[in-house]
Coordinates of all heavy atoms in Angstrom, one line a residue:
T1040 N 7.9 -7.1 -3.6 CA 7.7 -7.7 -2.3 C 8.5 -6.9 -1.2 O 9.6 -6.6 -1.4 CB 8.2 -9.2 -2.3 OG1 7.5 -9.9 -3.3 CG2 8.0 -9.9 -1.0
L1041 N 7.8 -6.6 -0.1 CA 8.4 -6.0 1.0 C 8.8 -7.0 2.0 O 8.1 -7.9 2.4 CB 7.4 -5.0 1.7 CG 6.8 -4.0 0.8 CD1 5.7 -3.2 1.5 CD2 7.8 -3.1 0.2
T1042 N 10.1 -7.0 2.3 CA 10.7 -7.9 3.3 C 11.2 -7.2 4.5 O 11.5 -6.0 4.5 CB 11.8 -8.8 2.6 OG1 12.8 -7.8 2.2 CG2 11.3 -9.5 1.4
G1043 N 11.4 -8.0 5.5 CA 12.1 -7.5 6.7 C 11.3 -7.5 8.0 O 11.8 -7.7 9.1
H1044 N 10.0 -7.3 7.9 CA 9.1 -7.4 9.1 C 9.0 -8.9 9.5 O 8.9 -9.8 8.6 CB 7.8 -6.8 8.8 CG 7.7 -5.3 8.7 ND1 8.1 -4.5 9.7 CD2 7.4 -4.5 7.7 CE1 8.0 -3.3 9.3 NE2 7.6 -3.2 8.1
T1045 N 8.9 -9.1 10.8 CA 8.6 -10.5 11.3 C 7.2 -10.6 11.7 O 6.8 -11.7 12.1 CB 9.5 -10.8 12.5 OG1 9.3 -9.8 13.5 CG2 11.0 -10.8 12.0
G1046 N 6.4 -9.6 11.6 CA 5.0 -9.6 12.0 C 4.1 -9.0 10.9 O 4.7 -8.5 9.9
R1047 N 2.8 -9.0 11.1 CA 1.9 -8.4 10.1 C 2.1 -6.9 10.0 O 2.4 -6.3 10.9 CB 0.5 -8.7 10.4 CG 0.1 -10.2 10.4 CD -1.3 -10.4 10.8 NE -2.1 -10.2 9.6 CZ -3.4 -10.3 9.5 NH1 -4.1 -10.5 10.6 NH2 -4.0 -10.1 8.4
I1048 N 2.0 -6.4 8.8 CA 2.0 -5.0 8.5 C 0.6 -4.4 8.8 O -0.4 -5.0 8.2 CB 2.5 -4.7 7.1 CG1 4.0 -5.1 7.0 CG2 2.3 -3.2 6.8 CD1 4.5 -5.0 5.5
Y1049 N 0.5 -3.4 9.6 CA -0.8 -2.8 9.8 C -0.9 -1.4 9.4 O -2.0 -0.8 9.4 CB -1.2 -2.9 11.3 CG -0.3 -2.1 12.2 CD1 -0.5 -0.8 12.5 CD2 0.8 -2.7 12.9 CE1 0.3 -0.1 13.3 CE2 1.6 -2.0 13.8 CZ 1.3 -0.7 14.0 OH 2.1 0.0 14.8
G1050 N 0.2 -0.8 8.9 CA 0.1 0.6 8.4 C 1.1 0.8 7.3 O 2.2 0.2 7.2
I1051 N 0.7 1.6 6.3 CA 1.6 2.0 5.2 C 1.3 3.4 4.8 O 0.2 3.9 4.9 CB 1.4 1.0 4.0 CG1 2.4 1.3 2.9 CG2 0.0 1.1 3.5 CD1 2.4 0.2 1.9
A1052 N 2.4 4.1 4.5 CA 2.3 5.5 4.0 C 3.2 5.7 2.8 O 4.3 5.2 2.8 CB 2.6 6.5 5.1
F1053 N 2.7 6.5 1.8 CA 3.5 6.8 0.7 C 4.1 8.2 0.9 O 3.5 9.1 1.4 CB 2.7 6.8 -0.6 CG 2.2 5.5 -0.9 CD1 0.9 5.0 -0.4 CD2 2.9 4.6 -1.7 CE1 0.4 3.8 -0.7 CE2 2.4 3.3 -2.0 CZ 1.2 2.9 -1.5
S1054 N 5.4 8.4 0.4 CA 6.0 9.7 0.5 C 5.3 10.6 -0.6 O 4.7 10.1 -1.6 CB 7.5 9.7 0.2 OG 7.7 9.2 -1.1
P1055 N 5.3 11.9 -0.4 CA 4.6 12.8 -1.3 C 5.1 12.7 -2.8 O 4.4 12.8 -3.7 CB 4.9 14.2 -0.8 CG 5.1 14.0 0.7 CD 5.8 12.7 0.8
D1056 N 6.4 12.3 -2.9 CA 7.0 12.2 -4.3 C 6.8 10.8 -4.9 O 7.1 10.6 -6.0 CB 8.4 12.6 -4.3 CG 9.3 11.6 -3.4 OD1 8.8 10.6 -2.9 OD2 10.5 11.9 -3.3
G1057 N 6.2 9.9 -4.1 CA 5.9 8.5 -4.6 C 7.1 7.6 -4.7 O 7.0 6.6 -5.3
K1058 N 8.2 8.1 -4.2 CA 9.5 7.3 -4.3 C 9.7 6.3 -3.2 O 10.6 5.5 -3.2 CB 10.7 8.2 -4.5 CG 10.6 9.0 -5.8 CD 11.8 9.9 -6.0 CE 11.7 10.7 -7.3 NZ 12.8 11.6 -7.4
R1059 N 9.1 6.6 -2.0 CA 9.3 5.7 -0.9 C 8.0 5.4 -0.2 O 7.0 6.1 -0.3 CB 10.2 6.5 0.1 CG 11.6 6.7 -0.3 CD 12.4 7.5 0.6 NE 11.8 8.9 0.8 CZ 11.9 9.9 0.0 NH1 12.6 9.8 -1.1 NH2 11.4 11.0 0.3
I1060 N 8.0 4.3 0.5 CA 6.9 4.0 1.4 C 7.4 3.6 2.8 O 8.5 3.1 2.9 CB 6.0 2.8 0.9 CG1 6.7 1.5 0.7 CG2 5.3 3.2 -0.4 CD1 5.9 0.4 0.4
A1061 N 6.6 3.9 3.8 CA 7.0 3.5 5.2 C 5.9 2.5 5.6 O 4.7 2.6 5.3 CB 7.0 4.7 6.1
T1062 N 6.3 1.4 6.3 CA 5.4 0.4 6.8 C 5.6 0.3 8.3 O 6.7 0.4 8.8 CB 5.7 -1.0 6.1 OG1 7.0 -1.3 6.3 CG2 5.4 -0.9 4.6
A1063 N 4.5 0.0 9.0 CA 4.5 -0.2 10.4 C 4.0 -1.6 10.7 O 3.0 -2.1 10.0 CB 3.7 0.8 11.1
S1064 N 4.7 -2.3 11.5 CA 4.3 -3.7 11.8 C 4.0 -4.0 13.2 O 4.4 -3.3 14.1 CB 5.5 -4.6 11.3 OG 5.3 -6.0 11.7
I1065 N 3.3 -5.1 13.4 CA 3.0 -5.5 14.8 C 4.3 -6.0 15.5 O 4.3 -6.1 16.7 CB 1.9 -6.7 14.8 CG1 1.3 -6.8 16.1 CG2 2.5 -8.0 14.3 CD1 -0.1 -7.5 16.1
D1066 N 5.4 -6.2 14.8 CA 6.6 -6.5 15.4 C 7.3 -5.3 16.0 O 8.5 -5.4 16.4 CB 7.6 -7.3 14.4 CG 8.0 -6.4 13.3 OD1 7.8 -5.2 13.3 OD2 8.6 -7.0 12.3
K1067 N 6.6 -4.2 16.0 CA 7.1 -2.9 16.7 C 8.2 -2.3 15.9 O 9.1 -1.6 16.5 CB 7.5 -3.1 18.1 CG 6.3 -3.6 19.0 CD 6.7 -3.8 20.4 CE 5.6 -4.4 21.2 NZ 5.9 -4.6 22.6
T1068 N 8.2 -2.4 14.6 CA 9.2 -1.8 13.7 C 8.5 -1.0 12.6 O 7.4 -1.3 12.2 CB 10.2 -2.8 13.1 OG1 9.4 -3.6 12.2 CG2 10.9 -3.6 14.1
V1069 N 9.2 0.0 12.2 CA 8.8 0.8 11.0 C 10.0 0.6 10.0 O 11.1 0.7 10.3 CB 8.6 2.3 11.4 CG1 8.4 3.1 10.1 CG2 7.5 2.4 12.3
R1070 N 9.6 0.4 8.8 CA 10.6 0.2 7.7 C 10.3 1.2 6.6 O 9.1 1.4 6.3 CB 10.7 -1.2 7.2 CG 11.1 -2.2 8.2 CD 11.4 -3.5 7.6 NE 11.9 -4.4 8.6 CZ 13.2 -4.5 9.0 NH1 14.1 -3.8 8.3 NH2 13.6 -5.4 9.9
I1071 N 11.3 1.7 6.0 CA 11.2 2.6 4.8 C 11.8 2.0 3.6 O 12.9 1.5 3.7 CB 11.8 4.0 5.1 CG1 11.1 4.7 6.3 CG2 11.8 4.9 3.9 CD1 11.8 6.0 6.7
Y1072 N 11.0 1.9 2.6 CA 11.5 1.3 1.3 C 11.5 2.3 0.2 O 10.7 3.1 0.1 CB 10.5 0.2 0.9 CG 10.3 -0.9 1.9 CD1 9.4 -0.8 2.9 CD2 11.1 -2.1 1.9 CE1 9.2 -1.8 3.9 CE2 10.9 -3.1 2.8 CZ 10.0 -3.0 3.8 OH 9.8 -3.9 4.7
T1073 N 12.6 2.2 -0.6 CA 12.7 3.0 -1.8 C 12.1 2.2 -3.0 O 12.5 1.1 -3.2 CB 14.1 3.4 -2.1 OG1 14.6 4.1 -1.0 CG2 14.2 4.2 -3.4
L1074 N 11.2 2.8 -3.7 CA 10.5 2.1 -4.7 C 11.2 2.4 -6.1 O 11.5 3.5 -6.4 CB 9.0 2.5 -4.8 CG 8.2 2.3 -3.5 CD1 6.9 2.9 -3.7 CD2 8.2 0.8 -3.2
A1075 N 11.5 1.3 -6.8 CA 12.1 1.5 -8.1 C 11.5 0.4 -9.0 O 11.2 -0.7 -8.6 CB 13.6 1.4 -8.0
N1076 N 11.4 0.7 -10.3 CA 11.0 -0.2 -11.3 C 12.1 -0.1 -12.4 O 12.0 0.8 -13.3 CB 9.6 0.2 -11.8 CG 9.1 -0.8 -12.8 OD1 9.7 -1.9 -13.0 ND2 8.0 -0.5 -13.4
E1077 N 13.0 -1.0 -12.4 CA 14.1 -1.0 -13.4 C 14.8 0.4 -13.4 O 15.0 0.9 -14.4 CB 13.6 -1.4 -14.7 CG 13.1 -2.8 -14.8 CD 12.6 -3.3 -16.1 OE1 13.0 -2.6 -17.1 OE2 11.9 -4.2 -16.2
G1078 N 15.1 0.9 -12.2 CA 15.8 2.2 -12.1 C 14.9 3.4 -12.1 O 15.4 4.5 -11.8
A1079 N 13.6 3.3 -12.4 CA 12.7 4.4 -12.4 C 11.8 4.3 -11.3 O 11.3 3.2 -10.9 CB 12.0 4.5 -13.8
P1080 N 11.4 5.5 -10.6 CA 10.5 5.4 -9.5 C 9.1 4.9 -10.1 O 8.7 5.1 -11.2 CB 10.3 6.9 -9.1 CG 11.6 7.5 -9.6 CD 12.0 6.8 -10.9
I1081 N 8.4 4.2 -9.2 CA 7.1 3.7 -9.5 C 6.1 4.8 -9.2 O 6.1 5.4 -8.1 CB 6.7 2.5 -8.7 CG1 7.7 1.3 -9.0 CG2 5.3 2.0 -8.9 CD1 7.5 0.1 -8.1
G1082 N 5.2 5.1 -10.1 CA 4.2 6.1 -9.9 C 3.0 5.6 -9.0 O 2.8 4.4 -8.9
I1083 N 2.3 6.6 -8.5 CA 1.2 6.2 -7.6 C 0.1 5.4 -8.3 O -0.4 4.5 -7.7 CB 0.6 7.5 -6.9 CG1 -0.4 7.1 -5.8 CG2 -0.1 8.4 -8.0 CD1 0.2 6.5 -4.6
E1084 N -0.1 5.6 -9.6 CA -1.1 4.8 -10.3 C -0.7 3.4 -10.4 O -1.5 2.5 -10.2 CB -1.3 5.4 -11.7 CG -1.9 6.8 -11.8 CD -0.9 7.9 -11.5 OE1 0.3 7.6 -11.6 OE2 -1.4 9.0 -11.3
E1085 N 0.6 3.2 -10.6 CA 1.1 1.8 -10.7 C 1.0 1.1 -9.3 O 0.7 -0.1 -9.2 CB 2.5 1.8 -11.2 CG 3.1 0.4 -11.5 CD 4.4 0.3 -12.1 OE1 4.9 1.4 -12.6 OE2 5.1 -0.7 -12.0
L1086 N 1.3 1.9 -8.3 CA 1.2 1.3 -6.9 C -0.2 0.9 -6.6 O -0.5 -0.1 -6.0 CB 1.7 2.3 -5.9 CG 3.2 2.5 -5.9 CD1 3.6 3.7 -5.0 CD2 4.0 1.3 -5.5
I1087 N -1.2 1.8 -7.0 CA -2.6 1.5 -6.7 C -3.0 0.2 -7.5 O -3.7 -0.7 -7.0 CB -3.5 2.7 -7.0 CG1 -3.3 3.8 -6.0 CG2 -5.0 2.3 -7.1 CD1 -3.9 5.1 -6.3
S1088 N -2.6 0.1 -8.7 CA -2.9 -1.1 -9.6 C -2.3 -2.3 -8.9 O -3.0 -3.4 -8.9 CB -2.3 -0.9 -11.0 OG -3.0 0.1 -11.6
L1089 N -1.1 -2.2 -8.4 CA -0.4 -3.4 -7.7 C -1.2 -3.7 -6.5 O -1.5 -4.9 -6.2 CB 1.0 -3.1 -7.4 CG 1.8 -4.1 -6.6 CD1 1.9 -5.4 -7.4 CD2 3.2 -3.6 -6.3
A1090 N -1.6 -2.7 -5.7 CA -2.4 -3.0 -4.5 C -3.7 -3.7 -4.8 O -4.1 -4.6 -4.1 CB -2.6 -1.7 -3.7
K1091 N -4.3 -3.3 -5.9 CA -5.6 -3.9 -6.3 C -5.4 -5.4 -6.5 O -6.3 -6.2 -6.3 CB -6.2 -3.2 -7.5 CG -6.8 -1.9 -7.2 CD -7.3 -1.3 -8.5 CE -7.8 0.1 -8.3 NZ -8.3 0.7 -9.6
T1092 N -4.3 -5.8 -7.1 CA -4.1 -7.2 -7.3 C -3.7 -8.0 -6.1 O -3.8 -9.3 -6.1 CB -2.9 -7.4 -8.4 OG1 -1.7 -7.0 -7.8 CG2 -3.2 -6.7 -9.7
R1093 N -3.4 -7.4 -5.0 CA -2.9 -8.1 -3.8 C -4.0 -8.1 -2.7 O -3.8 -8.7 -1.7 CB -1.7 -7.4 -3.2 CG -0.5 -7.4 -4.2 CD 0.1 -8.7 -4.4 NE 1.0 -8.8 -5.5 CZ 2.3 -8.6 -5.4 NH1 2.9 -8.4 -4.2 NH2 3.1 -8.7 -6.4
V1094 N -5.1 -7.4 -2.9 CA -6.1 -7.4 -1.8 C -6.8 -8.7 -1.8 O -7.2 -9.3 -2.8 CB -7.1 -6.2 -2.2 CG1 -8.3 -6.3 -1.2 CG2 -6.5 -4.9 -2.1
T1095 N -6.9 -9.3 -0.6 CA -7.5 -10.6 -0.4 C -8.9 -10.6 0.2 O -9.5 -11.6 0.4 CB -6.6 -11.4 0.6 OG1 -6.5 -10.7 1.8 CG2 -5.2 -11.6 0.0
R1096 N -9.4 -9.4 0.4 CA -10.8 -9.3 0.9 C -11.4 -8.0 0.3 O -10.7 -7.1 -0.1 CB -10.9 -9.3 2.4 CG -10.2 -8.0 3.0 CD -10.5 -7.8 4.4 NE -9.8 -6.7 5.0 CZ -10.1 -5.4 4.9 NH1 -11.2 -5.1 4.2 NH2 -9.4 -4.5 5.4
P1097 N -12.7 -7.9 0.2 CA -13.3 -6.7 -0.2 C -13.0 -5.5 0.8 O -13.0 -5.7 2.0 CB -14.8 -7.0 -0.2 CG -14.9 -8.4 -0.2 CD -13.7 -9.0 0.5
L1098 N -12.7 -4.4 0.2 CA -12.5 -3.2 1.1 C -13.8 -2.6 1.4 O -14.8 -2.7 0.7 CB -11.7 -2.2 0.3 CG -10.3 -2.6 -0.1 CD1 -9.6 -1.4 -0.9 CD2 -9.4 -2.9 1.1
T1099 N -13.9 -1.9 2.6 CA -15.1 -1.2 3.0 C -15.1 0.1 2.1 O -14.1 0.6 1.6 CB -15.0 -0.8 4.5 OG1 -14.0 0.1 4.7 CG2 -14.9 -2.1 5.3
P1100 N -16.3 0.7 2.0 CA -16.4 2.0 1.3 C -15.4 3.0 1.9 O -14.8 3.8 1.2 CB -17.8 2.4 1.5 CG -18.6 1.1 1.6 CD -17.6 0.2 2.4
E1101 N -15.3 3.0 3.2 CA -14.4 4.0 3.9 C -12.9 3.7 3.5 O -12.1 4.6 3.2 CB -14.5 3.9 5.4 CG -13.6 4.8 6.1 CD -13.7 4.7 7.6 OE1 -14.8 4.5 8.1 OE2 -12.6 4.9 8.3
E1102 N -12.5 2.4 3.4 CA -11.1 2.1 3.0 C -10.9 2.5 1.5 O -9.8 3.0 1.2 CB -10.9 0.6 3.2 CG -10.8 0.2 4.6 CD -10.8 -1.3 4.8 OE1 -11.4 -2.1 4.0 OE2 -10.1 -1.8 5.7
C1103 N -11.9 2.3 0.7 CA -11.8 2.7 -0.7 C -11.5 4.2 -0.8 O -10.7 4.7 -1.6 CB -13.0 2.3 -1.5 SG -13.1 0.5 -1.8
R1104 N -12.3 5.0 -0.1 CA -12.1 6.5 -0.1 C -10.7 6.8 0.4 O -10.0 7.7 -0.1 CB -13.2 7.2 0.7 CG -14.5 7.2 0.0 CD -15.5 8.1 0.7 NE -15.9 7.6 2.0 CZ -16.8 6.7 2.2 NH1 -17.5 6.1 1.2 NH2 -17.1 6.3 3.5
K1105 N -10.3 6.2 1.5 CA -9.1 6.6 2.2 C -7.8 6.1 1.5 O -6.9 6.9 1.3 CB -9.1 6.0 3.6 CG -7.8 6.3 4.4 CD -8.0 5.8 5.8 CE -6.8 6.2 6.7 NZ -6.9 5.6 8.0
Y1106 N -7.8 4.9 0.9 CA -6.6 4.3 0.4 C -6.6 4.4 -1.2 O -5.5 4.4 -1.7 CB -6.4 2.9 0.8 CG -6.3 2.8 2.3 CD1 -7.3 2.1 3.1 CD2 -5.3 3.4 3.0 CE1 -7.2 2.0 4.4 CE2 -5.2 3.3 4.4 CZ -6.2 2.6 5.1 OH -6.1 2.6 6.5
M1107 N -7.7 4.3 -1.8 CA -7.7 4.3 -3.3 C -8.2 5.5 -3.9 O -8.3 5.7 -5.1 CB -8.5 3.1 -3.7 CG -8.0 1.8 -3.2 SD -9.0 0.3 -3.7 CE -8.7 0.3 -5.4
Y1108 N -8.7 6.5 -3.1 CA -9.2 7.8 -3.5 C -10.4 7.6 -4.5 O -10.5 8.3 -5.5 CB -8.1 8.6 -4.2 CG -6.9 8.7 -3.2 CD1 -5.7 8.0 -3.4 CD2 -7.0 9.6 -2.1 CE1 -4.7 8.1 -2.6 CE2 -5.9 9.7 -1.2 CZ -4.8 9.0 -1.5 OH -3.7 9.1 -0.6
V1109 N -11.2 6.6 -4.3 CA -12.4 6.5 -5.1 C -13.7 6.4 -4.2 O -13.6 6.0 -3.0 CB -12.4 5.2 -6.0 CG1 -11.2 5.3 -7.0 CG2 -12.2 3.9 -5.1
E1110 N -14.8 6.9 -4.7 CA -16.0 6.8 -3.9 C -16.7 5.5 -3.9 O -17.3 5.1 -2.9 CB -17.0 7.9 -4.5 CG -16.6 9.3 -4.2 CD -16.5 9.6 -2.7 OE1 -17.4 9.2 -1.9 OE2 -15.5 10.2 -2.3
Q1111 N -16.5 4.7 -5.0 CA -17.1 3.4 -5.0 C -16.0 2.4 -5.2 O -15.2 2.5 -6.1 CB -18.1 3.3 -6.2 CG -18.9 2.0 -6.2 CD -20.0 2.1 -7.3 OE1 -20.2 3.1 -7.9 NE2 -20.6 0.9 -7.4
C1112 N -16.1 1.3 -4.4 CA -15.1 0.3 -4.5 C -15.2 -0.5 -5.8 O -16.3 -0.8 -6.3 CB -15.2 -0.7 -3.3 SG -14.9 -0.1 -1.7
P1113 N -14.0 -0.9 -6.4 CA -14.1 -1.7 -7.6 C -14.5 -3.1 -7.2 O -14.4 -3.5 -6.1 CB -12.6 -1.7 -8.1 CG -11.8 -1.4 -6.9 CD -12.7 -0.5 -6.0
S1114 N -15.1 -3.8 -8.1 CA -15.5 -5.2 -7.8 C -14.3 -6.1 -7.7 O -13.3 -5.9 -8.4 CB -16.5 -5.7 -8.9 OG -15.8 -5.7 -10.2
M1115 N -14.4 -7.1 -6.9 CA -13.4 -8.1 -6.7 C -13.5 -9.1 -7.8 O -14.5 -9.5 -8.1 CB -13.5 -8.8 -5.3 CG -13.3 -7.8 -4.1 SD -11.6 -7.3 -3.9 CE -10.9 -8.9 -3.4
P1116 N -12.3 -9.6 -8.2 CA -12.3 -10.7 -9.3 C -12.8 -12.0 -8.7 O -12.8 -12.3 -7.6 CB -10.8 -10.8 -9.7 CG -10.0 -10.1 -8.7 CD -11.0 -9.2 -7.9

C-alpha cells in the first residue's frame, strides 16, 4: 500500500532497477517509495501482477501497451 498522498495519484514511474517508484498526485506532491518484499526488491513481473489485481476498470488498448507492455489487454475477472 502506498501512503502519504492526500489526493488521487495520477502518475507513476518505476526506476530502471525496479527498486523504487515515484508517484505524482493531484495534491501537488511527488513521492518516492522503495519497494521491498521481506528484504528483497520486488521484480517488475511481480509489480505488474500486483497492478493487475488492483485495476478497477478495463484498460484501453493504449494503456495496456504503455503500462503492461502487451498488445492485447488481459480479460477482467
Side-chain angles (χ1 to χ4, degrees):
T1040 301
L1041 303 177
T1042 60
H1044 287 296
T1045 59
R1047 295 180 83 185
I1048 294 173
Y1049 65 84
I1051 187 167
F1053 295 91
S1054 66
D1056 63 7
K1058 295 179 182 178
R1059 291 175 303 281
I1060 61 172
T1062 57
S1064 172
I1065 199 159
D1066 66 12
K1067 300 180 183 178
T1068 63
V1069 172
R1070 295 190 176 273
I1071 298 175
Y1072 300 88
T1073 300
L1074 302 173
N1076 186 8
E1077 297 180 17
I1081 297 173
I1083 190 68
E1084 293 82 12
E1085 188 175 342
L1086 290 170
I1087 290 172
S1088 293
L1089 177 62
K1091 287 178 183 178
T1092 66
R1093 303 288 171 92
V1094 174
T1095 59
R1096 65 167 176 81
L1098 298 177
T1099 66
E1101 180 181 324
E1102 289 171 325
C1103 287
R1104 286 189 295 276
K1105 183 176 180 180
Y1106 301 117
M1107 299 176 69
Y1108 307 106
V1109 296
E1110 288 300 316
Q1111 186 173 358
C1112 292
S1114 60
M1115 293 289 290

